[in-house]
Amino acid sequence: MSFPKGNFLLKDAAIQFVNFDNILNQSKKAREGHLTGYIEIKYPDSLEYLFLRDGSAVTAAGEKDDKFEEYPLEEIIEKAKKAHQGIVNVYQIEEDLLSIIISLFKEKPLFANLMIENINLDSLFKKLKELNFRGFLALNKKGKYSFVKFRKGKPDLIYPINKNKKKVNLKILIALLKNEKGMLLSAYKERKLKEQANPALIGLYIKFFNSLIKSFTDVVGHSFVRKTLIPAYENASMSKEVLKNFQVADDLSISYKPFIGTDEEITIAFAIWIDQFTDGVFVVLGRKTDGIIYNSIKDYRFALKSAGFFEHSKLSRLDI
């Protein structure tokens, strides 16, 4: 699988000689502002992608059972950091093209993988015009993708696999497609895409919650905290399944395995879990509870506020 490449920022770099953290950090220092584009990682037996918008990783994709699908960001990143074999390419592309590529992994197509030879193109484009179609066509030839963007039911731009984008009209597009053999055609509506949660945000919530747990453990003991923390987790994870990716260890520390979720999903889930936990502690400690929370939260309050945590949590009562 390959996509339109835009501008090369790094070409055919051997992954064993590259600090992957540096590649990601460099994406936030691009000369023309933060990088929007993708990192292509070619392993001996697989191909993986990491997609970035404005310097931040937003999603990732990889091969599974001979097809591509979305993967957790951290899974792709950590694998690259530990790899000893592979080739890394970094491409800068425009934001519209990035959204189109990501849609392949995140959105359900209107139709998928129709053989071009079996399609009545005149009828197809007439229907798209009637629907006032806004989205794109994905043109897949042996795993190499080109894209045609539509506005108000008409073709507007084409992103060829190895050329720059250019304007296109219906007459030109039909002529191009009628000359193709063995091409698969798919169609996707334009939608606002959900980005994966920033790993740094997940780390923030874990650090804060672990600090909170330790503070309460110092006051009421391990046994009582466990008896409130575990039921709170079980109750919260029933309503927010994203929490099932987290674990509570015997020492009461919280960890997790990489998963796919959004910033908002994580924020709301942790707000519910922390609220239920602190409500349980309040039964024993009463008003002392808020004082302990306040002392634990001081180092994290600005980051939590920026993340919107207090908009969903009862801890907003602390007026931090």
Side-chain angles (χ1 to χ4, degrees):
M1 176 175 277
S2 60
F3 309 112
K5 295 177 172 56
N7 299 320
F8 269 109
L9 295 186
L10 184 67
K11 185 174 182 180
D12 294 339
I15 200 170
Q16 65 267 35
F17 300 121
V18 174
N19 183 315
F20 208 76
D21 282 327
N22 285 349
I23 294 180
L24 290 172
N25 290 335
Q26 191 62 33
S27 73
K28 299 182 179 181
K29 302 175 184 178
R31 189 173 299 170
E32 299 298 329
H34 297 170
L35 171 65
T36 292
Y38 62 92
I39 299 173
E40 178 186 67
I41 310 164
K42 297 180 180 179
Y43 295 107
D45 58 352
S46 64
L47 179 63
E48 295 179 355
Y49 290 96
L50 183 65
F51 300 97
L52 303 102
R53 178 179 281 110
D54 198 26
S56 296
V58 295
T59 193
E63 286 180 304
K64 186 175 183 180
D65 299 329
D66 296 323
K67 63 180 181 179
F68 274 79
E69 61 182 53
E70 187 177 22
Y71 269 66
L73 280 169
E74 288 181 278
E75 187 173 328
I76 299 294
I77 293 171
E78 290 306 312
K79 179 180 175 180
K81 288 180 180 180
K82 297 173 182 176
H84 297 291
Q85 288 185 303
I87 299 296
V88 176
N89 293 302
V90 181
Y91 305 100
Q92 184 178 41
I93 60 176
E94 60 183 67
E95 187 160 343
D96 276 354
L97 179 56
L98 177 70
S99 295
I100 284 172
I101 295 172
I102 293 175
S103 294
L104 293 178
F105 312 110
K106 295 182 74 73
E107 298 297 327
K108 185 177 179 179
L110 294 176
F111 59 82
N113 297 326
L114 299 182
M115 288 292 296
I116 196 75
E117 295 93 331
N118 298 332
I119 300 174
N120 184 318
L121 294 176
D122 292 322
S123 296
L124 171 64
F125 292 127
K126 181 180 179 182
K127 185 64 176 178
L128 293 178
K129 186 176 181 180
E130 290 172 356
L131 294 172
N132 204 30
F133 177 61
R134 185 179 181 91
F136 67 93
L137 297 181
L139 315 176
N140 175 9
K141 190 166 186 178
K142 298 180 179 179
K144 295 181 179 181
Y145 278 83
S146 298
F147 303 101
V148 181
K149 186 169 184 176
F150 275 67
R151 300 180 192 274
K152 297 181 179 180
K154 298 177 181 180
D156 180 49
L157 294 169
I158 186 167
Y159 296 91
I161 182 65
N162 288 319
K163 298 178 182 178
N164 294 327
K165 73 172 183 180
K166 58 184 179 181
K167 296 287 288 185
V168 67
N169 58 37
L170 184 57
K171 183 178 179 181
I172 293 173
L173 180 58
I174 290 177
L176 288 172
L177 295 179
K178 282 186 174 178
N179 291 327
E180 291 291 345
K181 302 293 181 184
M183 178 178 283
L184 301 177
L185 190 66
S186 304
Y188 294 79
K189 278 187 177 180
E190 182 176 275
R191 292 185 175 90
K192 185 175 181 180
L193 300 175
K194 293 182 178 180
E195 298 178 354
Q196 285 193 35
N198 188 328
L201 181 69
I202 302 172
L204 166 67
Y205 290 135
I206 288 180
K207 287 177 184 177
F208 165 56
F209 206 176
N210 281 337
S211 173
L212 192 61
I213 291 166
K214 183 179 184 305
S215 295
F216 281 123
T217 301
D218 291 343
V219 175
V220 297
H222 180 282
S223 178
F224 176 78
V225 170
R226 183 172 185 82
K227 289 176 181 178
T228 52
L229 179 63
I230 299 302
Y233 168 75
E234 292 172 347
N235 291 335
S237 61
M238 285 178 66
S239 62
K240 299 297 177 184
E241 289 198 2
V242 71
L243 289 176
K244 293 179 181 178
N245 296 287
F246 294 81
Q247 303 87 36
V248 179
D250 291 339
D251 65 357
L252 303 184
S253 63
I254 298 169
S255 61
Y256 71 101
K257 56 186 179 182
F259 62 96
I260 297 173
T262 66
D263 285 354
E264 184 178 32
E265 288 170 344
I266 301 304
T267 296
I268 293 173
F270 265 88
I272 292 172
W273 186 7
I274 290 170
D275 283 353
Q276 294 201 7
F277 169 61
T278 54
D279 284 351
V281 174
F282 189 87
V283 173
V284 172
L285 291 181
R287 294 183 180 275
K288 293 181 181 179
T289 304
D290 282 359
I292 296 171
I293 295 172
Y294 190 89
N295 288 331
S296 298
I297 213 170
K298 286 190 295 184
D299 292 340
Y300 307 100
R301 63 187 186 277
F302 294 120
L304 291 170
K305 199 167 191 176
S306 177
F309 174 79
F310 297 111
E311 296 173 17
H312 304 284
S313 172
K314 296 178 184 177
L315 299 191
S316 60
R317 68 178 181 270
L318 298 178
D319 195 27
I320 294 175

Coordinates of all heavy atoms in Angstrom, one line a residue, residues 26-104:
Q26 N 11.2 16.2 15.6 CA 11.5 17.1 14.4 C 10.3 17.5 13.7 O 10.2 18.5 13.1 CB 12.5 16.4 13.5 CG 13.1 17.3 12.4 CD 13.9 18.4 12.9 OE1 14.5 18.3 14.0 NE2 13.8 19.5 12.3
S27 N 9.2 16.6 13.8 CA 8.0 16.9 13.1 C 7.3 18.2 13.6 O 6.5 18.8 13.0 CB 7.0 15.7 13.2 OG 6.5 15.6 14.5
K28 N 7.7 18.6 14.9 CA 7.1 19.8 15.5 C 8.0 21.0 15.2 O 7.7 22.1 15.7 CB 7.0 19.5 17.0 CG 6.0 18.4 17.3 CD 5.8 18.2 18.8 CE 4.8 17.1 19.0 NZ 4.6 16.9 20.5
K29 N 9.1 20.8 14.5 CA 10.0 21.9 14.2 C 10.2 22.1 12.7 O 11.2 22.7 12.3 CB 11.4 21.6 14.9 CG 11.3 21.3 16.4 CD 12.6 20.9 16.9 CE 12.5 20.6 18.4 NZ 13.8 20.1 18.9
A30 N 9.3 21.7 11.9 CA 9.4 21.8 10.5 C 9.6 23.3 10.1 O 9.0 24.2 10.7 CB 8.2 21.2 9.7
R31 N 10.3 23.5 9.1 CA 10.6 24.9 8.7 C 9.4 25.7 8.4 O 9.3 26.9 8.7 CB 11.6 24.9 7.4 CG 12.1 26.2 7.1 CD 13.2 26.0 5.9 NE 14.2 25.2 6.4 CZ 15.2 24.7 5.5 NH1 15.1 25.0 4.2 NH2 16.1 23.9 6.0
E32 N 8.4 25.1 7.8 CA 7.2 25.9 7.4 C 6.1 25.6 8.4 O 4.9 25.4 8.1 CB 6.7 25.4 6.0 CG 7.7 25.8 4.9 CD 8.0 27.2 4.8 OE1 7.1 28.0 5.1 OE2 9.1 27.6 4.4
G33 N 6.5 25.6 9.7 CA 5.5 25.3 10.7 C 5.5 23.8 11.1 O 6.3 23.0 10.6
H34 N 4.6 23.4 12.0 CA 4.6 22.0 12.4 C 4.2 21.0 11.2 O 3.4 21.4 10.4 CB 3.7 21.8 13.5 CG 4.1 22.5 14.8 ND1 3.3 22.7 15.9 CD2 5.2 23.2 15.1 CE1 3.9 23.4 16.8 NE2 5.1 23.7 16.3
L35 N 4.8 19.9 11.2 CA 4.6 18.9 10.1 C 3.2 18.4 10.0 O 2.6 17.9 11.0 CB 5.6 17.8 10.2 CG 5.4 16.6 9.2 CD1 5.6 17.1 7.8 CD2 6.3 15.4 9.6
T36 N 2.6 18.4 8.9 CA 1.4 17.7 8.5 C 1.8 16.7 7.5 O 2.3 17.1 6.4 CB 0.3 18.6 8.0 OG1 -0.2 19.4 9.1 CG2 -0.9 17.8 7.5
G37 N 1.6 15.4 7.7 CA 2.1 14.4 6.8 C 2.1 13.0 7.4 O 1.3 12.8 8.3
Y38 N 3.0 12.2 6.9 CA 3.0 10.8 7.5 C 4.4 10.2 7.5 O 5.3 10.6 6.7 CB 2.0 9.9 6.8 CG 2.2 9.7 5.3 CD1 3.0 8.6 4.9 CD2 1.6 10.5 4.4 CE1 3.2 8.3 3.5 CE2 1.8 10.3 3.0 CZ 2.6 9.2 2.6 OH 2.8 8.9 1.2
I39 N 4.6 9.3 8.4 CA 5.9 8.6 8.5 C 5.6 7.1 8.0 O 4.6 6.5 8.5 CB 6.4 8.5 9.9 CG1 6.7 9.9 10.4 CG2 7.7 7.7 10.0 CD1 7.1 10.0 11.9
E40 N 6.3 6.7 7.0 CA 6.2 5.4 6.5 C 7.3 4.5 7.0 O 8.5 4.8 6.9 CB 6.2 5.4 4.9 CG 6.1 4.1 4.2 CD 6.4 4.3 2.7 OE1 7.5 4.6 2.3 OE2 5.4 4.1 2.0
I41 N 6.9 3.4 7.6 CA 7.9 2.5 8.2 C 7.9 1.1 7.5 O 6.9 0.4 7.6 CB 7.7 2.3 9.7 CG1 7.5 3.6 10.4 CG2 8.9 1.5 10.3 CD1 6.9 3.5 11.8
K42 N 8.9 0.8 6.7 CA 9.0 -0.4 6.0 C 9.8 -1.5 6.7 O 11.0 -1.3 6.8 CB 9.5 -0.2 4.6 CG 8.7 0.7 3.7 CD 9.4 0.9 2.3 CE 8.6 1.8 1.4 NZ 9.3 2.0 0.1
Y43 N 9.1 -2.5 7.2 CA 9.8 -3.6 7.9 C 10.1 -4.7 6.9 O 9.4 -4.7 5.8 CB 9.0 -4.1 9.1 CG 8.9 -3.1 10.2 CD1 7.7 -2.5 10.4 CD2 10.0 -2.8 11.0 CE1 7.5 -1.6 11.5 CE2 9.8 -1.9 12.1 CZ 8.6 -1.3 12.3 OH 8.5 -0.4 13.3
P44 N 10.9 -5.7 7.1 CA 11.1 -6.7 6.2 C 9.9 -7.5 5.8 O 9.7 -8.0 4.7 CB 12.2 -7.7 6.9 CG 12.9 -6.7 7.8 CD 11.9 -5.7 8.3
D45 N 8.9 -7.6 6.8 CA 7.7 -8.4 6.6 C 6.4 -7.6 6.7 O 5.3 -8.2 6.7 CB 7.7 -9.6 7.5 CG 7.8 -9.1 9.0 OD1 8.0 -7.9 9.2 OD2 7.6 -10.0 9.9
S46 N 6.5 -6.3 6.8 CA 5.3 -5.5 7.0 C 5.5 -4.0 6.7 O 6.6 -3.6 6.5 CB 4.7 -5.7 8.4 OG 5.6 -5.1 9.4
L47 N 4.4 -3.3 6.7 CA 4.4 -1.9 6.4 C 3.5 -1.2 7.3 O 2.4 -1.6 7.6 CB 4.0 -1.6 4.9 CG 3.9 -0.2 4.4 CD1 5.3 0.4 4.4 CD2 3.3 -0.1 3.0
E48 N 4.0 -0.1 8.0 CA 3.2 0.6 8.9 C 3.3 2.1 8.7 O 4.3 2.6 8.1 CB 3.6 0.3 10.4 CG 3.3 -1.2 10.7 CD 3.7 -1.6 12.1 OE1 4.3 -0.8 12.8 OE2 3.5 -2.8 12.4
Y49 N 2.2 2.9 9.1 CA 2.2 4.3 8.9 C 1.8 5.0 10.2 O 1.0 4.5 11.0 CB 1.1 4.7 7.9 CG 1.5 4.2 6.5 CD1 1.0 3.0 6.0 CD2 2.2 5.1 5.7 CE1 1.3 2.7 4.7 CE2 2.6 4.7 4.4 CZ 2.1 3.5 3.9 OH 2.4 3.1 2.6
L50 N 2.4 6.2 10.4 CA 2.1 7.1 11.5 C 1.7 8.4 10.9 O 2.5 9.0 10.1 CB 3.3 7.2 12.4 CG 3.1 8.0 13.7 CD1 2.1 7.4 14.6 CD2 4.5 8.2 14.4
F51 N 0.5 8.9 11.2 CA 0.0 10.1 10.6 C 0.1 11.3 11.6 O -0.3 11.1 12.7 CB -1.4 9.9 10.1 CG -1.5 8.8 9.1 CD1 -1.9 7.5 9.5 CD2 -1.2 9.0 7.7 CE1 -2.0 6.5 8.5 CE2 -1.3 8.0 6.8 CZ -1.7 6.7 7.2
L52 N 0.5 12.5 11.1 CA 0.7 13.6 11.9 C -0.1 14.8 11.3 O -0.1 15.0 10.1 CB 2.2 14.0 12.1 CG 3.1 12.9 12.6 CD1 3.9 12.2 11.5 CD2 4.0 13.4 13.6
R53 N -0.7 15.6 12.2 CA -1.3 16.8 11.9 C -0.7 17.9 12.8 O -0.8 17.8 14.0 CB -2.8 16.8 12.0 CG -3.5 18.1 11.7 CD -5.0 18.0 11.8 NE -5.6 17.4 10.6 CZ -6.2 16.2 10.6 NH1 -6.2 15.4 11.7 NH2 -6.7 15.7 9.5
D54 N -0.2 19.0 12.1 CA 0.4 20.1 12.9 C 1.4 19.6 13.9 O 1.4 20.1 15.0 CB -0.7 20.9 13.5 CG -0.3 22.3 13.9 OD1 0.7 22.8 13.3 OD2 -0.9 22.8 14.9
G55 N 2.2 18.6 13.6 CA 3.3 18.2 14.4 C 2.9 17.1 15.5 O 3.8 16.6 16.1
S56 N 1.6 16.8 15.6 CA 1.2 15.8 16.6 C 0.7 14.6 15.9 O 0.0 14.6 14.9 CB 0.1 16.4 17.4 OG 0.5 17.5 18.2
A57 N 1.1 13.4 16.4 CA 0.6 12.1 15.9 C -0.9 12.0 16.2 O -1.3 12.2 17.3 CB 1.4 11.0 16.5
V58 N -1.7 11.7 15.2 CA -3.1 11.6 15.3 C -3.7 10.2 15.1 O -4.8 9.9 15.7 CB -3.9 12.6 14.4 CG1 -3.5 14.0 14.7 CG2 -3.5 12.4 12.9
T59 N -3.1 9.4 14.4 CA -3.5 8.0 14.2 C -2.4 7.2 13.6 O -1.4 7.7 13.1 CB -4.8 7.9 13.5 OG1 -5.3 6.5 13.6 CG2 -4.6 8.1 12.0
A60 N -2.6 5.9 13.5 CA -1.6 5.0 12.9 C -2.3 3.8 12.2 O -3.5 3.6 12.5 CB -0.6 4.5 13.9
A61 N -1.6 3.2 11.3 CA -2.2 2.1 10.6 C -1.1 1.0 10.3 O 0.1 1.4 10.2 CB -2.9 2.5 9.3
G62 N -1.6 -0.2 10.2 CA -0.6 -1.3 9.9 C -1.3 -2.4 9.2 O -2.6 -2.5 9.1
E63 N -0.5 -3.4 8.8 CA -1.1 -4.6 8.1 C -1.5 -5.6 9.1 O -0.9 -5.8 10.1 CB 0.0 -5.2 7.2 CG 0.3 -4.5 6.0 CD 1.4 -5.2 5.1 OE1 2.5 -5.4 5.7 OE2 1.1 -5.5 4.0
K64 N -2.7 -6.2 8.8 CA -3.2 -7.3 9.7 C -4.0 -8.2 8.8 O -5.0 -7.7 8.1 CB -4.0 -6.8 10.8 CG -4.5 -7.9 11.8 CD -5.2 -7.3 13.0 CE -5.5 -8.4 14.0 NZ -6.2 -7.8 15.2
D65 N -3.7 -9.5 8.7 CA -4.4 -10.4 7.9 C -4.5 -9.9 6.4 O -5.6 -9.9 5.8 CB -5.8 -10.7 8.4 CG -5.8 -11.3 9.8 OD1 -4.8 -12.0 10.1 OD2 -6.7 -11.0 10.6
D66 N -3.4 -9.5 5.9 CA -3.3 -9.0 4.5 C -4.1 -7.8 4.2 O -4.5 -7.6 3.0 CB -3.7 -10.2 3.5 CG -2.7 -11.3 3.7 OD1 -1.5 -11.1 3.8 OD2 -3.1 -12.5 3.6
K67 N -4.5 -7.0 5.2 CA -5.2 -5.8 4.9 C -4.8 -4.8 6.0 O -4.2 -5.1 7.0 CB -6.7 -6.0 5.0 CG -7.3 -6.4 6.3 CD -8.8 -6.5 6.3 CE -9.4 -6.9 7.6 NZ -10.9 -7.0 7.6
F68 N -5.0 -3.5 5.7 CA -4.6 -2.4 6.5 C -5.8 -2.0 7.4 O -6.9 -2.0 7.0 CB -4.1 -1.2 5.7 CG -2.7 -1.3 5.4 CD1 -2.2 -2.1 4.3 CD2 -1.7 -0.6 6.1 CE1 -0.9 -2.2 4.0 CE2 -0.4 -0.7 5.7 CZ 0.0 -1.5 4.7
E69 N -5.4 -1.7 8.7 CA -6.4 -1.1 9.6 C -5.8 -0.2 10.6 O -4.5 -0.2 10.7 CB -7.2 -2.3 10.3 CG -6.3 -3.2 11.2 CD -7.1 -4.3 11.8 OE1 -7.8 -5.0 11.0 OE2 -7.0 -4.4 13.0
E70 N -6.6 0.5 11.3 CA -6.1 1.5 12.3 C -5.5 0.7 13.5 O -6.0 -0.3 13.9 CB -7.2 2.4 12.8 CG -6.7 3.5 13.7 CD -7.8 4.4 14.2 OE1 -9.0 4.0 14.1 OE2 -7.5 5.6 14.5
Y71 N -4.3 1.2 14.0 CA -3.6 0.7 15.1 C -3.5 1.7 16.2 O -3.4 2.9 15.9 CB -2.2 0.1 14.7 CG -2.2 -1.3 14.3 CD1 -2.9 -1.7 13.1 CD2 -1.5 -2.2 15.0 CE1 -2.8 -3.0 12.7 CE2 -1.5 -3.6 14.6 CZ -2.1 -4.0 13.5 OH -2.1 -5.3 13.1
P72 N -3.3 1.3 17.5 CA -3.0 2.3 18.5 C -1.7 3.0 18.2 O -0.7 2.4 17.8 CB -2.9 1.5 19.8 CG -3.7 0.2 19.5 CD -3.5 0.0 18.0
L73 N -1.6 4.3 18.4 CA -0.4 5.1 18.2 C 0.8 4.5 18.9 O 1.8 4.3 18.3 CB -0.6 6.5 18.6 CG -1.4 7.5 17.7 CD1 -1.8 8.8 18.5 CD2 -0.6 7.8 16.5
E74 N 0.6 4.3 20.2 CA 1.8 3.8 21.0 C 2.3 2.5 20.5 O 3.5 2.2 20.6 CB 1.4 3.8 22.4 CG 1.3 5.1 23.0 CD 0.9 5.1 24.5 OE1 -0.3 4.9 24.8 OE2 1.8 5.2 25.3
E75 N 1.5 1.6 20.0 CA 1.9 0.3 19.5 C 2.9 0.5 18.3 O 3.9 -0.2 18.2 CB 0.7 -0.5 19.1 CG 1.1 -2.0 18.8 CD -0.1 -2.8 18.6 OE1 -1.2 -2.6 19.2 OE2 -0.1 -3.8 17.8
I76 N 2.5 1.4 17.4 CA 3.3 1.6 16.2 C 4.6 2.3 16.6 O 5.7 2.0 16.1 CB 2.6 2.5 15.2 CG1 1.3 1.7 14.7 CG2 3.4 2.8 14.0 CD1 1.5 0.5 13.9
I77 N 4.5 3.3 17.5 CA 5.7 4.1 17.9 C 6.7 3.2 18.7 O 7.9 3.2 18.4 CB 5.3 5.3 18.8 CG1 4.5 6.3 17.9 CG2 6.5 6.0 19.4 CD1 3.8 7.4 18.7
E78 N 6.2 2.5 19.6 CA 7.1 1.6 20.4 C 7.8 0.6 19.6 O 9.0 0.2 19.8 CB 6.4 1.0 21.6 CG 5.9 2.0 22.7 CD 7.1 2.8 23.2 OE1 8.1 2.2 23.5 OE2 7.0 4.1 23.3
K79 N 7.1 0.0 18.7 CA 7.7 -1.0 17.8 C 8.8 -0.4 17.0 O 9.9 -1.0 16.8 CB 6.6 -1.6 16.8 CG 7.2 -2.6 15.9 CD 6.1 -3.2 15.0 CE 6.6 -4.1 13.9 NZ 5.6 -4.6 13.0
A80 N 8.6 0.8 16.5 CA 9.6 1.5 15.7 C 10.9 1.8 16.5 O 12.0 1.7 16.0 CB 9.1 2.8 15.1
K81 N 10.6 2.2 17.8 CA 11.8 2.5 18.6 C 12.7 1.3 18.9 O 13.9 1.4 19.1 CB 11.3 3.1 20.0 CG 10.7 4.5 19.9 CD 10.2 4.9 21.3 CE 9.6 6.3 21.3 NZ 9.2 6.7 22.6
K82 N 12.1 0.1 19.0 CA 12.8 -1.1 19.3 C 13.3 -1.8 18.1 O 14.1 -2.8 18.2 CB 11.9 -2.0 20.1 CG 11.4 -1.4 21.4 CD 10.4 -2.3 22.1 CE 9.9 -1.7 23.4 NZ 8.8 -2.5 24.0
A83 N 12.9 -1.4 16.9 CA 13.3 -2.1 15.7 C 14.8 -2.0 15.3 O 15.4 -1.0 15.6 CB 12.4 -1.6 14.5
H84 N 15.3 -3.1 14.8 CA 16.7 -3.1 14.3 C 16.8 -3.2 12.8 O 17.9 -3.0 12.2 CB 17.4 -4.3 14.9 CG 17.5 -4.2 16.4 ND1 18.3 -3.3 17.1 CD2 16.9 -5.0 17.4 CE1 18.1 -3.5 18.4 NE2 17.3 -4.5 18.6
Q85 N 15.7 -3.5 12.2 CA 15.6 -3.5 10.7 C 14.4 -2.8 10.2 O 13.3 -2.9 10.8 CB 15.6 -5.0 10.2 CG 16.9 -5.7 10.4 CD 16.8 -7.1 9.7 OE1 15.9 -7.9 10.1 NE2 17.6 -7.4 8.8
G86 N 14.6 -2.0 9.1 CA 13.5 -1.3 8.6 C 14.0 0.0 7.9 O 15.1 0.5 8.2
I87 N 13.1 0.6 7.1 CA 13.4 1.8 6.4 C 12.3 2.8 6.8 O 11.1 2.5 6.8 CB 13.4 1.6 4.9 CG1 14.5 0.6 4.5 CG2 13.6 2.9 4.1 CD1 15.9 1.1 4.8
V88 N 12.7 4.1 7.0 CA 11.8 5.1 7.4 C 11.8 6.2 6.4 O 12.9 6.7 5.9 CB 12.2 5.7 8.8 CG1 11.3 6.9 9.1 CG2 12.2 4.6 9.9
N89 N 10.6 6.6 5.9 CA 10.4 7.8 5.1 C 9.5 8.7 5.7 O 8.5 8.3 6.4 CB 9.9 7.4 3.7 CG 10.9 6.5 2.9 OD1 12.0 7.0 2.6 ND2 10.4 5.3 2.5
V90 N 9.7 10.0 5.6 CA 8.8 11.0 6.2 C 8.4 11.9 5.0 O 9.2 12.5 4.3 CB 9.5 11.9 7.3 CG1 8.5 12.9 7.8 CG2 10.0 10.9 8.4
Y91 N 7.1 12.1 4.9 CA 6.5 12.9 3.8 C 5.6 14.1 4.4 O 4.9 13.9 5.3 CB 5.6 12.1 2.9 CG 6.2 10.8 2.3 CD1 6.0 9.6 2.9 CD2 7.1 10.9 1.2 CE1 6.6 8.4 2.4 CE2 7.7 9.8 0.7 CZ 7.4 8.5 1.3 OH 8.0 7.4 0.8
Q92 N 5.8 15.2 3.8 CA 4.9 16.3 4.1 C 3.8 16.5 3.0 O 4.1 16.6 1.8 CB 5.8 17.6 4.1 CG 5.0 18.9 4.6 CD 5.9 20.1 4.6 OE1 6.7 20.3 3.8 NE2 5.7 20.9 5.7
I93 N 2.6 16.5 3.5 CA 1.5 16.6 2.5 C 0.5 17.6 3.1 O 0.6 18.0 4.3 CB 0.7 15.3 2.3 CG1 0.2 14.7 3.6 CG2 1.6 14.3 1.7 CD1 -0.6 13.5 3.5
E94 N -0.5 18.1 2.3 CA -1.4 19.1 2.7 C -2.5 18.4 3.6 O -2.7 17.2 3.5 CB -2.0 19.8 1.6 CG -2.8 19.0 0.6 CD -3.3 19.8 -0.6 OE1 -2.5 20.3 -1.4 OE2 -4.5 19.9 -0.7
E95 N -3.2 19.2 4.4 CA -4.1 18.7 5.3 C -5.3 17.9 4.7 O -5.7 16.9 5.2 CB -4.6 19.8 6.3 CG -5.5 19.3 7.4 CD -5.6 20.3 8.5 OE1 -4.8 21.2 8.6 OE2 -6.5 20.1 9.4
D96 N -5.8 18.4 3.6 CA -6.9 17.7 2.9 C -6.5 16.3 2.5 O -7.3 15.4 2.7 CB -7.3 18.5 1.7 CG -8.3 19.6 2.0 OD1 -8.7 19.7 3.2 OD2 -8.7 20.4 1.1
L97 N -5.3 16.2 2.0 CA -4.9 14.8 1.6 C -4.7 13.9 2.8 O -5.0 12.7 2.7 CB -3.6 15.0 0.7 CG -3.0 13.6 0.3 CD1 -4.0 12.8 -0.5 CD2 -1.7 13.9 -0.6
L98 N -4.2 14.5 3.9 CA -4.0 13.7 5.1 C -5.4 13.1 5.5 O -5.5 12.0 5.9 CB -3.4 14.6 6.2 CG -3.3 13.9 7.5 CD1 -2.2 12.8 7.5 CD2 -2.9 14.9 8.6
S99 N -6.4 14.0 5.6 CA -7.7 13.6 6.0 C -8.3 12.5 5.1 O -8.9 11.5 5.5 CB -8.7 14.7 6.0 OG -8.3 15.7 7.0
I100 N -8.0 12.6 3.8 CA -8.4 11.6 2.8 C -7.8 10.2 3.1 O -8.5 9.2 3.2 CB -8.1 12.1 1.4 CG1 -9.1 13.1 0.9 CG2 -8.2 10.9 0.4 CD1 -8.7 13.8 -0.4
I101 N -6.5 10.2 3.3 CA -5.8 9.0 3.6 C -6.2 8.3 4.9 O -6.5 7.1 4.9 CB -4.2 9.2 3.6 CG1 -3.7 9.7 2.2 CG2 -3.5 8.0 4.0 CD1 -2.3 10.1 2.2
I102 N -6.4 9.1 5.9 CA -6.8 8.6 7.2 C -8.2 8.0 7.1 O -8.5 7.0 7.8 CB -6.8 9.7 8.3 CG1 -5.3 10.1 8.6 CG2 -7.4 9.2 9.6 CD1 -5.1 11.2 9.5
S103 N -9.1 8.6 6.3 CA -10.4 8.1 6.1 C -10.5 6.6 5.7 O -11.4 5.9 6.0 CB -11.2 8.9 5.1 OG -11.4 10.2 5.6
L104 N -9.4 6.2 4.9 CA -9.4 4.8 4.4 C -9.4 3.8 5.6 O -10.0 2.7 5.5 CB -8.1 4.6 3.6 CG -8.0 5.3 2.3 CD1 -6.6 4.9 1.7 CD2 -9.1 4.9 1.3

